[in-house]
Amino acid sequence: MHYIRAARTAQHRAVRALAVRGLAHPLTHLLLAAAATAAAQAWDAGHRVTELHPVRTDRLQDSYLIHLRAKKGTP
């Protein structure tokens, strides 16, 4: 399986377990460890973090605008 696809799949499974079972559940711990391992394997294979977590320019722009408004004191 492709390293990035494996890392994304492991991450999604871990997030679902976290949402359903909570952080203290042993299955969540196991899936988080699997996600970390898959991400490390993708990194070792030469993949960049941005391939796993693409930059969302819309969110960055929104965050920046909120930051500017807060700095100016406008809502």
Side-chain angles (χ1 to χ4, degrees):
M1 184 183 275
H2 191 266
Y3 288 111
I4 292 298
R5 187 179 310 141
R8 282 187 183 146
T9 300
Q11 180 186 17
H12 288 183
R13 287 179 179 166
V15 168
R16 277 185 259 153
L18 179 63
V20 172
R21 302 179 188 281
L23 184 57
H25 197 278
L27 179 61
T28 303
H29 286 210
L30 180 69
L31 292 173
L32 286 169
T37 301
Q41 288 173 343
W43 178 265
D44 289 342
H47 295 283
R48 299 275 184 223
V49 173
T50 54
E51 293 176 47
L52 185 58
H53 299 285
V55 176
R56 297 274 314 264
T57 55
D58 56 335
R59 284 188 181 175
L60 288 175
Q61 185 178 10
D62 290 345
S63 299
Y64 182 67
L65 291 175
I66 290 169
H67 171 74
L68 287 179
R69 288 183 191 134
K71 215 172 167 185
K72 291 180 181 179
T74 58

